Amino acid sequence: MISVLSIRLKRVILVFSLIAACVLVLIGIGTVEISSSYYNKEMISSGIQSLTDKFDFSYLQPGNNGSYNLWNMKSSTLEQTGFIIEPNNVQFKFTNPLGKKGTPQEIQEQNDKRYAQVFDKQITEPKDFDIESIRPPADPKKYKLANATIIALVRNNEASSIGKTIRRFEKKFNDKFHYPYTFLNDEPFTDAFKSRIAKYTDAPMEFVTVGPEFWKKPSFIDETRQKVEMDKLQAQNIAYATMESYHNMCRFYSGMFYNLPELQKYKYYWRIEPNVNFYTDIKYDVFKYLQGTGKKYGFTINLYDIHETVVSLWPETLRFLNLGNNYKYVNKNGAFQWLLEPHQNPKKNSDTGGYSTCHFWSNFEIADMDFYRSEAYNEWFKHLDRSGGFYYERWGDAPVHSLGLSLFADKKDIHWFRDIGYFHDPYFNCPKSENTKLCSAGRFSRWDHLNDQNCMSSWIDYSIDDLDKIY
């Protein structure tokens, strides 16, 4: 009795023989007619397509037994492009497109050199938009604002520290435009807090009490398991491991804040934090820059995460992408190589199932909330939330935002605000610019031993197609 496998192999050989014959015939026609206008490059392509359309290749797709797919060379595709995006088969691979080699220390030295080289260049403002069209108005009261707000999640006892930030922020940017502030707190703001903040700005202010439906942990979280897992993290000296309010904050900023009723009226936001500093006089409307270019997200600092806090974040994300038709959400021009880079901190990559842990430091964000409100991001966040990782681990909003953006947005729509000098202890973004004062150009951290946490060179190398196009 002839086996099914034998029949399938014979059909495969027959099909490929017919295709090869067709190609040879069409090439022959093209050769004969090469000097005439009759020759058309598209003829070969259309001829092959018409042939293949007449055959049913469905039997060549992998079956339930995982048989090899002879028609679609997946392994080759993965090696060449670094990804496969199809139903129930979403995979990513670091392909090392620049061929970097060496020990982690040698890779870091290469990356440090690259970082210093980039920051040694004198820059001005973005070149990919008409900046003159978004200069500060003579009278902020007559200026038509973009649909945007400044947001700050703060406690009543942080009036002084957020006040310092606002005073610096107003001087460097907002006293030119008067964008409104939205202050968020899971408890009502006191009159003392409100009156103190009013001293720092003439811009409109709104004080929002975040309701428990946005703030408290979900009822399905197993508190016994949570305590066990958090005690493990605390034993590893992971900051805020047992502080539930910190877990609440990470979950809130990851997937809840943009749905607050008070923020529904806005499209863009700029997130600020207590005790941060700005070193650049920003002479253009950053919100209208995002609006005019169509970009989704802007950051200044890019670093590795504490890998113990995100052990299952990437595996859980892959699990989501391989469910149903969720593969459709992946943007094929995403920042995949940056997400996967394994060389500078290989243990982080290994312990998280292949995630580099590179992320945008979210204490500075200028972004489009409609990206978070999209079906792709929302469905993914709901999957992450149901897994419990915000409480059984310590998933931060920074890696969550970064994974979501790198998977669901085009990498060209993620903007490095290279021209904005910024500091959140202990890290800097300090450009070499006439508009930047009081920070050392190219300095990454107050402490040199933290330089191995700098992921900016990977972003430059793997996610920016033309470094000189924008600055």
Side-chain angles (χ1 to χ4, degrees):
M1 182 179 292
I2 300 174
S3 69
V4 174
L5 177 60
S6 175
I7 294 173
R8 287 185 175 181
L9 287 175
K10 289 180 180 179
R11 292 178 67 184
V12 170
I13 293 169
L14 174 61
V15 168
F16 278 95
S17 297
L18 288 171
I19 291 175
C22 181
V23 171
L24 290 173
V25 169
L26 291 173
I27 290 174
I29 292 172
T31 303
V32 171
E33 302 291 342
I34 192 72
S35 61
S36 74
S37 60
Y38 175 78
Y39 177 67
N40 185 345
K41 293 181 190 178
E42 296 180 358
M43 184 175 62
I44 295 176
S45 175
S46 61
I48 294 173
Q49 185 62 51
S50 63
L51 175 64
T52 55
D53 286 346
K54 294 178 181 179
F55 288 87
D56 177 12
F57 294 106
S58 61
Y59 69 92
L60 295 175
Q61 300 299 321
N64 294 331
N65 63 353
S67 59
Y68 184 65
N69 186 330
L70 294 173
W71 179 252
N72 199 1
M73 298 298 196
K74 294 182 176 62
S75 60
S76 176
T77 299
L78 188 61
E79 292 293 333
Q80 292 173 3
T81 67
F83 61 86
I84 296 173
I85 302 170
E86 59 186 22
N88 310 119
N89 187 31
V90 176
Q91 299 180 52
F92 300 96
K93 179 181 177 62
F94 183 72
T95 62
N96 197 13
L98 298 183
K100 291 186 180 182
K101 296 180 181 178
T103 65
Q105 183 178 351
E106 290 170 339
I107 294 294
Q108 184 195 327
E109 289 171 357
Q110 295 173 38
N111 289 338
D112 287 349
K113 183 177 180 180
R114 175 70 163 146
Y115 185 78
Q117 178 188 48
V118 169
F119 274 84
D120 190 52
K121 179 184 177 182
Q122 184 85 16
I123 64 167
T124 54
E125 298 162 323
K127 298 185 295 187
D128 60 342
F129 189 75
D130 180 8
I131 295 296
E132 295 302 322
S133 69
I134 53 175
R135 292 295 185 194
D139 184 358
K141 294 180 181 179
K142 297 180 180 179
Y143 181 68
K144 182 174 176 54
L145 299 169
N147 185 16
T149 185
I150 317 299
I151 66 172
L153 179 65
V154 288
R155 301 283 189 186
N156 283 304
N157 61 8
E158 294 178 304
S160 176
S161 54
I162 194 64
K164 292 177 182 177
T165 294
I166 294 171
R167 186 167 58 244
R168 297 161 180 165
F169 182 73
E170 286 287 314
K171 181 179 179 181
K172 297 299 185 181
F173 174 76
N174 204 42
D175 66 354
K176 305 177 184 72
F177 298 99
H178 289 188
Y179 273 98
Y181 289 86
T182 304
F183 295 96
L184 308 173
N185 191 350
D186 66 312
E187 298 177 352
F189 284 105
T190 63
D191 290 339
F193 180 94
K194 295 177 183 178
S195 61
R196 183 161 187 173
I197 296 300
K199 297 177 182 178
Y200 298 112
T201 178
D202 293 328
M205 293 177 286
E206 186 172 9
F207 299 90
V208 177
T209 303
V210 178
E213 69 275 21
F214 291 95
W215 186 258
K216 297 295 185 182
K217 70 181 176 186
S219 59
F220 56 76
I221 295 299
D222 183 333
E223 294 192 356
T224 300
R225 179 183 172 188
Q226 179 188 357
K227 185 178 186 313
V228 169
E229 299 299 340
M230 290 310 97
D231 286 346
K232 290 179 184 177
L233 285 184
Q234 187 177 42
Q236 299 175 70
N237 296 316
I238 302 300
Y240 315 119
T242 59
M243 185 183 294
E244 185 157 311
S245 61
Y246 188 86
H247 293 261
N248 289 341
M249 181 274 291
C250 291
R251 176 177 178 263
F252 172 75
Y253 261 140
S254 292
M256 310 297 289
F257 80 98
Y258 48 85
N259 288 323
L260 286 171
E262 294 84 356
L263 290 179
Q264 286 292 305
K265 57 181 175 282
Y266 296 113
K267 178 177 174 65
Y268 298 100
Y269 74 97
W270 185 334
R271 175 174 164 181
I272 61 173
E273 299 275 349
N275 291 319
V276 302
N277 209 344
F278 300 88
Y279 300 114
T280 302
D281 188 13
I282 305 167
K283 300 178 180 179
Y284 63 97
D285 189 333
V286 297
F287 294 116
K288 289 192 175 180
Y289 172 74
L290 256 63
Q291 179 179 288
T293 58
K295 295 180 180 182
K296 307 299 182 187
Y297 187 89
F299 71 95
T300 53
I301 295 171
N302 181 333
L303 67 161
Y304 292 87
D305 206 354
I306 302 169
H307 59 275
E308 293 90 346
T309 67
V310 289
V311 170
S312 68
L313 179 57
W314 180 240
E316 199 61 57
T317 295
L318 289 175
R319 188 172 294 115
F320 166 78
L321 295 176
N322 282 291
L323 289 174
N325 63 353
N326 292 341
Y327 73 96
K328 68 181 181 181
Y329 297 132
V330 180
N331 190 307
K332 292 186 178 181
N333 198 39
F336 310 143
Q337 293 297 294
W338 172 73
L339 279 183
L340 304 174
E341 175 275 323
H343 291 154
Q344 184 166 306
N345 283 290
K347 181 170 174 55
K348 292 179 182 291
N349 185 282
S350 174
D351 287 0
T352 59
Y355 171 35
S356 66
T357 77
C358 288
H359 65 283
F360 313 119
W361 219 20
S362 58
N363 44 71
F364 178 109
E365 293 183 317
I366 307 173
D368 181 350
M369 284 185 280
D370 285 348
F371 171 78
Y372 302 127
R373 294 165 181 151
S374 68
E375 179 180 313
Y377 188 90
N378 262 288
E379 289 302 310
W380 173 61
F381 170 75
K382 287 189 288 186
H383 176 92
L384 295 182
D385 199 27
R386 288 192 295 268
S387 76
F390 291 104
Y391 296 91
Y392 303 144
E393 292 181 24
R394 205 208 68 184
W395 295 350
D397 53 279
V400 171
H401 285 182
S402 301
L403 259 68
L405 285 155
S406 298
L407 290 169
F408 309 134
D410 192 311
K411 61 187 177 185
K412 70 177 175 55
D413 293 333
I414 303 172
H415 180 69
W416 172 27
F417 276 104
R418 185 176 168 188
D419 59 315
I420 297 181
Y422 175 75
F423 173 74
H424 185 294
D425 197 19
Y427 299 112
F428 295 86
N429 182 72
C430 188
K432 192 174 184 178
S433 161
E434 292 181 357
N435 291 331
T436 301
K437 309 293 182 184
L438 303 178
C439 68
S440 300
R443 189 177 185 183
F444 172 67
S445 174
R446 292 173 57 197
W447 318 111
D448 289 343
H449 73 276
L450 293 177
N451 285 344
D452 66 340
Q453 300 305 303
N454 189 355
C455 203
M456 195 65 231
S457 293
S458 288
W459 181 261
I460 292 167
D461 286 342
Y462 304 132
S463 299
I464 299 179
D465 293 330
D466 185 349
L467 186 62
D468 296 324
K469 183 178 180 179
I470 299 175
Y471 290 100

